Amino acid sequence: LHGVLAAAGLTLLIYAAVVVGLSPMALAATGILVVVALVGAGINLQYHARLLPLPKPAILIHGAAAVAGFSLLLIVLMK
């Protein structure tokens, strides 16, 4: 569910960037979120294929980077 919702949100965000245009800071936040999503999905698939649990530092870094990207979007929205 997490991945599906994240993919839906990123799709809408990228669509808004292409159709309406976003500020440079919002584009940076979008870039951060795309990278976080791709790295998170890649790590998840690698560990899942080997039937290994995800390392806790990777989970924490993924979450912290996602919060940073989302916070940047909120800052843009508040301006």
Side-chain angles (χ1 to χ4, degrees):
L1 182 63
H2 169 86
V4 172
L5 292 176
L10 278 176
T11 301
L12 290 173
L13 193 53
I14 292 168
Y15 177 77
V18 171
V19 173
V20 180
L22 298 176
S23 70
M25 195 146 90
L27 287 174
T30 303
I32 290 170
L33 291 172
V34 167
V35 169
V36 167
L38 290 174
V39 170
I43 290 173
N44 187 30
L45 290 174
Q46 285 178 347
Y47 278 84
H48 184 72
R50 296 180 190 150
L51 300 175
L52 296 172
L54 289 168
K56 288 183 181 157
I59 294 170
L60 294 174
I61 291 169
H62 175 78
V67 167
F70 189 73
S71 297
L72 197 54
L73 277 178
L74 288 178
I75 290 169
V76 170
L77 192 64
M78 298 297 181
K79 284 187 174 184

